[in-house]
Amino acid sequence: MVGCGGATAPCPTPTTELDSLRTKTDHLEAEVDRETAQERALMARRNEAARRVGSVQAALDSLAGGGSR
């Protein structure tokens, strides 16, 4: 295998390519952070809704049980 200038070592990655890849990585990390925050907010809303449904169901069960005694 022949590298830079006929040497056996590979050519270094050009800094412009590294900078471009770093910029893409930064944008993707920011997107992942936004999506993760949104997912956590949705999960919190879902959990709160499930808790409220459970409370309402318990109240209904209590009313149904109390009326049959």
Side-chain angles (χ1 to χ4, degrees):
M1 176 176 185
V2 177
C4 282
T8 57
C11 296
T13 304
T15 55
T16 54
E17 184 178 347
L18 292 174
D19 291 342
S20 173
L21 292 171
R22 187 175 296 113
T23 300
K24 286 180 185 178
T25 299
D26 290 344
H27 287 298
L28 290 172
E29 286 177 348
E31 186 177 340
V32 166
D33 290 345
R34 280 190 304 273
E35 294 295 328
T36 299
Q38 184 178 13
E39 178 186 14
R40 287 181 180 154
L42 289 172
M43 293 280 288
R45 288 175 55 195
R46 186 198 69 176
N47 291 341
E48 177 59 22
R51 186 196 63 74
R52 289 193 332 252
V53 167
S55 295
V56 169
Q57 187 62 53
L60 289 173
D61 291 347
S62 175
L63 289 173
S68 62
R69 288 185 178 175

